[in-house]
Amino acid sequence: MVNSRHVFATFLILTIMNASSAFDYGQALDKSLLFFEAQRSGKLPRTQRVNWRGDSGLTDGYQQKVNLVGGYYDAGDHVKFGLPMAYTVTMLSWGAIEYHRNMMDLNQMGHVLDAIKWGTDYFIKAHSQPNVLWGQVGDGDSDHYCWERAEDMTTPRTAYKLDTEHPGSDLAGETAAAMAAASMAFRPYNSSYSDLLLVHAKQLFWFADRFRGLFTDSIPCAKEFYTSSGFEDELLWAATWLYRATNDESYLKYVVDNAASMGGTGWATKEFSWDNKYAGVQILLSKVLLDGHGGAYTATLKQYKAKADYFACACQQKNDGYNAPMTPGGLLYLHEWNNMQYAASAAFLLAVYSDYLTAAKSVLTCPDANVQPHELLTFAQSQADYILGKNPKSMSYIVGYGQNYPIHVHHRGASIASISVVHSVVGCVQGFDAWYHRPAANPNVIHGGLVGGPDHNDNFDDDRSNYEQTEPTLSGTAPLVGLFSKLHSLSLSPKPTTSPSPTKGHPGSYSHAKAPTKPYGEPLEFLHSITSSWTVGGIGYYRHKVIKPGSECSFVYVQGGPQAKVSVQSYH
């Protein structure tokens, strides 16, 4: 401590970022948002940046006399599956709620809200009556028999609905959660739209809870592609989001009263995904407890938090042997098919939990050790960095990011020349013969798509027919929007341009103008009065802050190697 007449400075060193990796999370975010534009169904807006796409699915719902134009294609196919689409909107909205300031700093908030609204506008149409929800458009089997652009679709666009006689509490519950979360995301920008979303969210939750059942029992053709393991977690998930959106204690009472019977305080999981929401529920309710709002429900909320801690400890490999599986290269590995989506979801969830614990000045108590909040963020960053190229293959699994990424992506539209280039129709069988089996790279780059990723030994085969590893999905990419926003705010990398510009002559290429990058050898310094400064390990960029006598100064230490040496250079 220096003389109290001068300045009292306390340094809290948080080892939460790895500057040596030098990944541009802002550019990764920009790419990820482009993926959602590439997946759009319906009449494309004038602001559409992915110029190799065109209008498609303009008669969806026509046979059923309902307007179901819009929404998103699920992955490399052209089915609009309601459950993963709703989960996608929930995750995009959660990211916007937690990290809206970061997104605004990157000038990306408009694009994020556009991505959310493209989904919620569709859900408003699909929720055509209080107890009716159209849950799917297109049939997976017939769709997968054809390899054609969305603009040329010849497969049946059959629509499938849920109603009181054909319930689907998981799908209706997830859609309610999406609408509630989106209402929060839009609240500061469009209150009337936010109110409308909340009306739909409340109606959908009542429908889901009153008429219970699995959506795959009502829409059997979805079972082969998105088999639901249960609907109880979605009911708790929807009620939790409605509590957060409305502050109506009846929703909190619902999750407490049903905590045991619906598995909220019984299920300890290592997975968070489009199918399993328990870890998300548990961490959201932990925030209620950590914020001191538990009240009469504190005892049950502590049980929820215990399960949230189990998930976080399992990811940290500190759970008394009951840990989440990892590849030798350091990637969470939970499922053989499209595993990256589970790593992305877990990373986002741990980043959020790190924030909640930090705000409450709390730590994570694991069976093997206490874990500081910044360690959760470090782990989340390790998953993001693996995705972006810090892995045994030095492969970016975000298409279009970096110099080495998959070029034979399992995606119909990306693998066939754009309709703006090849104006003739590409038929169902012709697509397989002329494009699917083509050894060349895809003619269109589906920027931002997170592919399925490597196997349990970090091996990856960039082959169009290897759909388990090379197909991108909505549910995989969605958590990355919030995660990259968070990581960019803590990194010292330069901000990217707000949007890519299509390069003439190639429908799938984009160019990004980059701001000059300062070398990582410049010092990070804080100024007291005019001349005082502190230098941190020779790492980082200049950052300035006035420190008043008697105050504390906290800073982010950006370093992946040994601990930095902190010294006071001068003071007045």
Side-chain angles (χ1 to χ4, degrees), residues 62-86:
Y62 177 79
Q63 292 179 337
Q64 291 77 24
K65 297 182 180 179
V66 60
N67 180 5
L68 296 176
V69 176
Y72 289 108
Y73 299 124
D74 178 62
D77 54 18
H78 299 134
V79 183
K80 296 193 290 198
F81 289 107
L83 184 59
M85 193 195 307

Side-chain angles (χ1 to χ4, degrees), residues 397-419:
Y397 294 105
I398 295 285
V399 181
Y401 180 89
Q403 301 301 312
N404 182 29
Y405 53 82
I407 59 176
H408 300 96
V409 182
H410 184 91
H411 189 279
R412 287 157 176 76
S415 67
I416 303 173
S418 172
I419 196 168

Side-chain angles (χ1 to χ4, degrees), residues 15 55 88 110 135 148 152 178 237 249 260 272 306 309 356 373 379 416 418 442 455 463 486 498 506 526 551 567:
T15 310
D55 300 340
T88 294
E148 55 192 356
D152 298 332
W237 179 240
E249 193 171 298
F272 175 57
D309 291 350
Y356 294 168
F379 182 84
I416 303 173
S418 172
N442 287 354
D455 65 15
D463 188 310
K486 170 66 175 180
T498 60
H506 193 306
F526 294 82
S551 65
S567 62

Side-chain angles (χ1 to χ4, degrees), residues 485-508:
S485 298
K486 170 66 175 180
L487 294 178
H488 184 275
S489 72
L490 297 172
S491 73
L492 299 176
S493 57
K495 296 181 180 180
T497 53
T498 60
S499 61
S501 301
T503 302
K504 293 182 179 180
H506 193 306

Side-chain angles (χ1 to χ4, degrees), residues 364-394:
L364 173 67
T365 302
C366 296
D368 297 340
N370 285 345
V371 176
Q372 297 296 323
H374 68 81
E375 294 180 75
L376 295 180
L377 194 53
T378 299
F379 182 84
Q381 186 218 359
S382 75
Q383 300 304 289
D385 286 357
Y386 188 109
I387 288 169
L388 294 176
K390 190 177 181 181
N391 54 65
K393 293 291 184 182
S394 298

Side-chain angles (χ1 to χ4, degrees), residues 442-466:
N442 287 354
N444 307 309
V445 179
I446 185 152
H447 286 278
L450 176 66
V451 298
D455 65 15
H456 66 285
N457 285 320
D458 301 294
N459 295 316
F460 180 77
D461 183 15
D462 184 12
D463 188 310
R464 201 171 292 116
S465 63
N466 180 19

Side-chain angles (χ1 to χ4, degrees), residues 526-529 544-548 551:
F526 294 82
L527 300 184
H528 166 61
S529 297
H544 308 285
K545 182 178 181 179
V546 175
I547 304 174
K548 297 179 181 179
S551 65

